[in-house]
Amino acid sequence: MSDYPSRVYIAEMGARDGLQNEPLVGTQAKISLINALSQSGLTHIEAGAFVSPKRVPQMADSARVFQHIERKTGVTYSALTPNIQGYNDAMAVNAEQVSIFTSASEGFCQSNIHCSISESLERFIPVMEQAKLDGIKVRGYLSCVIDCPYDGATSPQQVAHIAKKLFDLGCYEISLGDTIGTGTPIRIGRMLDAVLNVIPRHQVAVHFHNTWGQALVNVHQALTMGISTVDSSVAGLGGCPYAPGASGNVATEDVLYLCQGLGIETGVDLEVVTKAGWDICREINKAPQSNVSLALSAQTKKSR
Ligand code: HMG
Ligand code: MG
């Protein structure tokens, strides 16, 4: 039996998770991408990251991006912030929401943010305190919820344990990352079962990378379990610099087409997102990592 939600909310990752792992893209191209995506009906766009520019040079211009995008009413433009320094930098350019991030595995946590899981949670306390004072919502990402590139398989119990810690810190939503994209639906289902024992369904999001081509079936698995927030990346851009070989998030175009087919409302215009994807792919000289985008492109050429 499936328990599809009637509406799915997309958290658009292309400008952050996507472009953090592509060759350097000009600031104006990022701004144009975000402005184009803002016209599609998306309500959440992650627009940049306030992390060490030495570690992730692709995100070094995030302040300028936030300063120059045309903000559309009804769209939340969020920023990734690993610590209070990142939080303050994000606030200085009026990010509407921030995301903190840790891992369910120690190996990835050390590689990605140079600390243990428990140290990362300590670092988040001042961020959460300041965000509460400022009235800013905080999202929590949890990486390596299926496998870790350094430590191997992650148990569903461990995922639930750390997810609950992030939730108890005050995150309004926990986004569960299959960072290296090795998950398959049965394992995703077991992991979600464990998390849904400790966090309300409507506060759980899924964030699947597509390295092994499983991201869309894994999204479908999550939808059958009533999950209604899906992170995805226009044109399937990106990956994580600290998860070698991992490819981008599931493509937004593919999730939108799936939802259309299932009769699930998203409020997002597939054509507008697809066009934004073509434009950024032309800019970075890469084919869209989305079957739906490629099919629409072929259809458009044929009808000319
Ligand atoms: P650190 O290396 O542990 O050390 O940084 P630190 O705190 O002592 O700082 C070292 C240097 O970074 C110092 O500069 C700090 O000023 C600077 P230096 O003295 O060497 O010139 N620094 C900062 N600079 C800018 N913004 C900041 C900031 N904080 C310190 N906020 C830190 C810790 C987390 C900052 C660093 O390790 C880092 O930036 N790591 C990169 C993390 C990252 O962006 N990873 C990719 C995104 S996560 C992801 O993709 C996964 C996700 O999509 C979910 C999934 O798929 O699973 C979310
Ligand atoms: Mg990611």
Side-chain angles (χ1 to χ4, degrees):
M1 275 290 287
S2 61
D3 192 13
Y4 293 124
S6 54
R7 187 183 176 102
V8 158
Y9 297 90
I10 303 279
E12 172 54 51
M13 296 288 123
R16 194 280 300 169
D17 203 335
L19 296 184
Q20 76 181 8
N21 207 38
E22 301 290 349
L24 279 177
V25 175
T27 309
Q28 189 50 51
K30 292 181 179 180
I31 293 167
S32 301
L33 170 66
I34 294 166
N35 288 347
L37 291 169
S38 299
Q39 301 305 318
S40 69
L42 283 162
T43 52
H44 181 181
I45 297 176
E46 195 147 90
F50 293 87
V51 299
S52 161
K54 285 185 193 148
R55 300 286 308 278
V56 188
Q58 290 91 332
M59 291 290 110
D61 59 352
S62 290
R64 268 183 293 138
V65 169
F66 270 92
Q67 277 164 336
H68 294 291
I69 49 177
E70 286 161 27
R71 298 188 196 214
K72 191 168 160 68
T73 309
V75 183
T76 298
Y77 300 90
S78 67
L80 199 67
T81 56
N83 51 23
I84 192 70
Q85 182 181 340
Y87 176 84
N88 289 335
D89 291 347
M91 288 305 104
V93 289
N94 300 316
E96 279 116 337
Q97 188 177 300
V98 298
S99 311
I100 55 176
F101 55 109
T102 188
S103 172
S105 65
E106 292 291 352
F108 184 76
C109 201
Q110 281 294 349
S111 163
N112 193 36
I113 52 175
H114 278 173
C115 63
S116 66
I117 298 170
S118 63
E119 283 164 345
S120 73
L121 296 169
E122 288 290 316
R123 272 184 197 175
F124 298 149
I125 292 172
V127 175
M128 299 307 297
E129 287 173 350
Q130 192 55 48
K132 197 169 177 191
L133 289 173
D134 297 342
I136 293 287
K137 279 166 71 179
V138 183
R139 189 170 208 241
Y141 285 104
L142 188 58
S143 289
C144 298
V145 299
I146 298 293
D147 290 312
C148 169
Y150 309 99
D151 301 347
T154 311
S155 75
Q157 292 67 31
Q158 166 74 356
V159 177
H161 179 63
I162 309 295
K164 180 73 164 57
K165 283 187 183 286
L166 274 178
F167 188 67
D168 288 344
L169 276 178
C171 293
Y172 78 96
E173 182 168 271
I174 306 298
S175 173
L176 301 165
D178 179 10
T179 314
I180 57 172
T182 49
T184 48
I186 289 178
R187 292 183 73 198
I188 296 290
R190 288 188 188 130
M191 181 276 295
L192 284 173
D193 273 337
V195 173
L196 292 174
N197 275 330
V198 294
I199 299 179
R201 197 176 307 268
H202 69 279
Q203 287 172 288
V204 171
V206 290
H207 178 109
F208 297 147
H209 285 263
N210 197 35
T211 321
W212 290 76
Q214 303 297 300
L216 194 63
V217 288
N218 290 339
V219 167
H220 183 258
Q221 174 63 37
L223 297 180
T224 66
M225 297 173 75
I227 301 297
S228 57
T229 302
V230 175
D231 296 5
S232 62
S233 175
V234 61
L237 293 174
C240 175
Y242 297 99
S247 59
N249 285 112
V250 64
T252 305
E253 297 88 326
D254 296 0
V255 176
L256 293 175
Y257 185 78
L258 174 68
C259 288
Q260 260 178 27
L262 293 170
I264 299 174
E265 212 182 307
T266 61
V268 183
D269 187 321
L270 172 60
E271 280 185 30
V272 177
V273 171
T274 304
K275 166 88 174 42
W278 291 344
D279 289 347
I280 188 70
C281 282
R282 210 172 298 118
E283 188 72 33
I284 62 176
N285 201 17
K286 181 179 177 175
Q289 306 296 297
S290 155
N291 284 85
V292 169
S293 173
L294 294 172
L296 283 172
S297 172
Q299 212 174 60
T300 309
K301 280 181 192 142
K302 222 165 135 187
S303 68
R304 273 204 200 122

